[in-house]
Amino acid sequence: METLRQWYLLTSNEVVNLLNSDPNKGLSLQEVERRKLKYGENKLTVKKSESKFIIFLRQFHQPLVYILLIAAIGVSFLEQWLETGVILGVVIINAIIGYIQEVKALRAIQALANYIQDETVVIREGNKVKIPVKEVVVGDIVVLHSGDRVPADLRIITSKELRIDESALTGESVSASKNAAPIEEETIINDRKNTAFATTLVTYGYGVGVVTNIGDTTEIGQINHLIASADILVTPLTKKIEQFSKVLLWIILGLASITMAVSWMRGHALEDVLLEGVALAVGAIPEGLPAVVTITLAIGVSRMAQRKAIIRKLPAVETLGSTTVICSDKTGTLTQNEMTVQKIFAGNENFELDGIGYNPKGNITLNSARITSHHSKALEELLMCGVLCNDSKLIKNEEEPTWKIEGDPTEGALFTSAIKGGLEIHHIENKYLTIDTIPFESELQYMATLHENGGRNMIYLKGSVERIVSACSHYLNNEGDLMEMEATLIQSQVERMASLGLRVLAFAMKKVSITKREIVHQDCTSDLIFLGLQGMIDPPRDEAIEAVKICHQAGIDVKMITGDHIITATSIADMMGIRAQNPTEKGITGQELETLNPQELQEVAQKKSVFARVSPDQKLKLVEVLQKEGHIVAMTGDGVNDAPALRQANIGIAMGVIGTEVAKETADMILTDDNFATIKSATEEGRNVFDNLLKFITWTIPTNVTEGLVILVASILGLTLPITPLQILWVNMSTAIFLGATLAFEKAEKGLMTHPPRDPKKPILTPTMLTRVLWVSTYLVAMIYFVFTFETQTNDLQLNVSRTICINLIVFGELFYLFNSRSLHYSPFRLGFFSNKWLIGGVLIMVGLQLFMTYSPLMNQLFATAPISLEEWGLVIGISLTLYLLVELEKWIRRKVYHY
């Protein structure tokens, strides 16, 4: 017995026979036990993961952490236990943060496994019994009612008005109608009308099905496997920091080795040799880097939360800033997720409707003139038909105020169009008493209702154009007269609406006897009066249209990947400007994707912007192909079917309102408003985060290089150290916290979304920034030795005074250089010199700390410092101000040469 057969291609009797089951009696208890042993339990396999202890230990396996541990060892050699504790504390805190993030990231599969914990009704030995879902076996006969969650993949045997919400699996927002008829050709899961899938929800009707697949062999099980196999990618930031740290590690180790070798050759004692090596390492290591990275990302998280984007994993903040491709779902993200009637055809006239969504604010117009339902009898009857042949409710929330629909989105749109035409819903519903209903079924392709009003009975119908028009003998004109049907004219109107991506419904009515109290299918197959057409669409969000435009300006490619039909998807894409960069490029369907070889898929993924009717594994493949081309991919999704692609993407973005728990657990970021415009805002914030990190690195490295070179030069030339290891540690820790960290609060510079994304292969420090780092470091080293030599020899000052001047020279050099670093290319005055209040506050605190270190007897004793004179302060400030002016001159020259 196979469990991976294309059951939907077979008749229900063939499936039941192949599975050795009985649609009336089900399986025997003995057979159930035998199949349990053969197929196992109906549950998803959770991939065995690393122990939490191993995950925690792995957080220490990073070059940057190695550097910090070396720093801690170095400080412990100096018996400065407080500083050692601080550095180790930074390491442990960063490890804990990384551990928490990773454990959260791996909860998605567990969430999926929990998704099918429930009970279901099956037929066994001729009796209906309720059993746990995990005990369902292949061949079981399952009974489905409204509100039930489907326990396994089923081939429908019988159904009555059965509708199932498959949105979490297929992305389709409208419930799918199910029946038992076989399908003649292979098709994607969206179109398998005779199959019910595990975890989907029955919204209407009744059905019976035979279990064909359980656990890992179900469609949801295949998605579970895709989630487990999808790679957890290293973020661009993590990768760059790792590369940068490795280079820094080897440079520090190399310089420390040179220092110790030179010291050893000079005949210094082993303790002094080690002390000099440790001093260089302590000076060259940027102890504050991990803390500032975490602070900067955390601030980005806070700012994004204010912009309705919740970040679940810190590095995702910066990943957004590096994004080169955004693959977005259509419904609710790019669109309103509220069906809206935009075109009406009635009485041989074409009407337009304005307004968006379920809010009935708007008008019906004819040739730009506002009209109401009284304009023509045909229009009035058409709008009334949409109200009466309707199972849903349009509800106004008085507190918001907003409008929402209870029921089918399509039916909600019909209420809205009727109100725009001046009809009063409650008045019509009270006037026309509903006697009987034929609910919509996929086999019938229509819905019909029987109403009584003032001594006459009327049947109102809505449904597919083909079904309604074929049953009509006449149509209603503007005066209310019956005219001979003009099928060709109606078809041309349908094609016109469909070409705009509109979903078209046809409407009709039929007068029947006052004594008629029920309707049957035969009442709806002939002699109908055609009332007209309503064309509707889920319209794009205005803010999303602008967001797509800004993304294109920023060099970010936007691709629509949807479960909707290709015509609708292409129409929405054109409204939004998604194909603006290549308007002649046609969209592609999932069925067409299946026929492509790897090379063709690679080309299509790059060129195409619209992908319709795609399956979960195709979404995953598209993301993988784009990543192989070097793209940083952001992927949006809300359903279980989106989870594998969300996990594989560099940044997975889940919908907070309509998203499933599986999607949210898998994602790196959650949109609280399900709006594409929020992705644009978050991308802008991500770019700002990376800019601020780059500013910090460009600011802090000259200090570390300066301190390292000071030690190296002293060792090579046999000079007295201008600054001690303990003083170096003070400078590094205090300035990183009170000066460098304040760069994290810098707001986005103008034009941030007008340049292309940063090249993922580009190093953190570009040649321009590296040049600046080197010459700033050289300047500071030269000034330190100039001042130290001048003060110790010319003025015959005490060593502690000279060293105090040098400490302040480094600190105030960093302080003035901090204002340079607020923008890598422009003057801080362009940003607003006092716009970063955190930076101003940090500068004032740092000045206070340096004065305390210089003049406090306690600090003089602890750090071997001494008070200095006003003249010496003048020297410190003068050299630091000169550095500031030189950097601004360099930026000005570069702007002139490179036209920034």
Side-chain angles (χ1 to χ4, degrees), residues 3 61 110 191 276 280 292 295 303 309 330 391 449 451 503 570 630 748 767 804:
T3 56
H61 183 52
Q110 187 59 50
D191 298 325
E276 288 186 28
L280 186 138
V292 171
I295 290 168
R303 286 178 175 172
K330 175 182 72 69
D391 277 335
T449 53
H451 301 272
R503 182 184 181 189
T570 303
T804 304

Side-chain angles (χ1 to χ4, degrees), residues 495-768:
E495 291 173 0
R496 181 180 68 87
M497 290 186 184
S499 68
L500 299 173
L502 301 181
R503 182 184 181 189
V504 185
L505 287 181
F507 299 81
M509 69 178 188
K510 185 177 185 179
K511 296 178 182 179
V512 293
S513 168
I514 187 66
T515 61
K516 191 171 185 61
R517 309 312 291 173
E518 65 175 355
I519 47 176
V520 293
H521 176 57
Q522 286 70 25
D523 295 320
C524 307
T525 57
S526 62
D527 298 326
L528 302 184
I529 301 169
F530 180 75
L531 299 176
L533 307 169
Q534 294 200 49
M536 62 191 69
I537 197 168
D538 181 8
R541 296 174 182 257
D542 290 339
E543 64 272 27
I545 295 174
E546 180 64 21
V548 168
K549 181 180 177 182
I550 292 172
C551 284
H552 283 160
Q553 290 174 353
I556 301 170
D557 194 9
V558 179
K559 298 181 184 294
M560 179 194 290
I561 302 180
T562 178
D564 215 331
H565 293 278
I566 187 68
I567 295 176
T568 304
T570 303
S571 176
I572 291 290
D574 288 342
M575 290 181 200
M576 304 205 64
I578 287 176
R579 296 199 306 166
Q581 296 175 315
N582 198 354
T584 59
E585 192 69 51
K586 294 181 179 179
I588 189 168
T589 65
Q591 200 167 2
E592 292 171 316
L593 285 175
E594 281 296 316
T595 64
L596 304 179
N597 61 41
Q599 187 174 352
E600 290 171 332
L601 181 61
Q602 188 175 349
E603 186 176 342
V604 163
Q606 285 274 77
K607 288 184 177 180
K608 301 285 185 184
S609 298
V610 180
F611 300 83
R613 311 294 280 177
V614 293
S615 63
D617 62 316
Q618 288 172 335
K619 288 185 179 183
L620 181 59
K621 284 179 184 176
L622 286 170
V623 172
E624 289 174 337
V625 167
L626 290 168
Q627 287 172 334
K628 285 178 183 176
E629 289 296 303
H631 287 289
I632 304 298
V633 182
M635 175 80 191
T636 75
D638 53 43
V640 175
N641 62 322
D642 296 317
L646 289 176
R647 183 175 169 86
Q648 176 67 36
N650 298 88
I651 177 160
I653 305 169
M655 303 299 107
V657 178
I658 63 172
T660 61
E661 286 304 310
V662 177
K664 293 175 189 177
E665 283 290 335
T666 309
D668 305 286
M669 183 173 88
I670 299 171
L671 305 183
T672 60
D673 61 353
D674 294 3
N675 194 336
F676 183 85
T678 303
I679 301 176
K680 185 274 298 180
S681 300
T683 301
E684 184 177 16
E685 192 59 53
R687 289 191 173 192
N688 187 42
V689 163
F690 188 86
D691 270 11
N692 289 346
L693 285 173
L694 188 59
K695 290 170 185 177
F696 172 79
I697 291 171
T698 306
W699 170 83
T700 193
I701 294 303
T703 307
N704 300 113
V705 172
T706 296
E707 293 164 346
L709 287 177
V710 164
I711 304 296
L712 183 63
V713 170
S715 177
I716 292 173
L717 301 180
L719 303 175
T720 304
L721 285 176
I723 182 169
T724 67
L726 186 56
Q727 292 167 345
I728 287 173
L729 188 61
W730 161 268
V731 170
N732 286 358
M733 298 300 284
S734 61
T735 56
I737 294 169
F738 296 110
L739 295 183
T742 63
L743 289 171
F745 295 92
E746 286 294 336
K747 294 180 180 178
E749 294 185 40
K750 292 179 181 178
L752 193 62
M753 291 294 284
T754 58
H755 59 76
R758 186 179 177 85
D759 185 351
K761 298 175 184 177
K762 203 173 182 180
I764 284 185
L765 287 179
T766 62
T768 300

Side-chain angles (χ1 to χ4, degrees), residues 839-852:
L839 183 140
I840 300 301
V843 165
L844 294 175
I845 291 172
M846 196 66 234
V847 169
L849 287 174
Q850 282 308 112
L851 291 174
F852 182 62

Side-chain angles (χ1 to χ4, degrees), residues 340-402:
T340 306
V341 176
Q342 292 187 338
K343 307 282 184 185
I344 288 178
F345 173 73
N348 278 344
E349 290 183 314
N350 288 297
F351 303 91
E352 308 279 337
L353 289 85
D354 53 29
I356 291 175
Y358 299 135
N359 189 333
K361 183 180 179 181
N363 303 298
I364 298 178
T365 59
L366 177 65
N367 300 324
S368 301
R370 179 184 175 186
I371 56 97
T372 67
S373 60
H374 302 302
H375 168 79
S376 76
K377 189 64 178 175
L379 177 62
E380 183 178 29
E381 288 286 355
L382 170 69
L383 295 175
M384 278 207 311
C385 181
V387 171
L388 295 171
C389 191
N390 201 316
D391 277 335
S392 301
K393 291 182 179 179
L394 183 65
I395 300 170
K396 183 179 182 182
N397 186 337
E398 298 293 345
E399 295 178 3
E400 299 288 337
T402 57

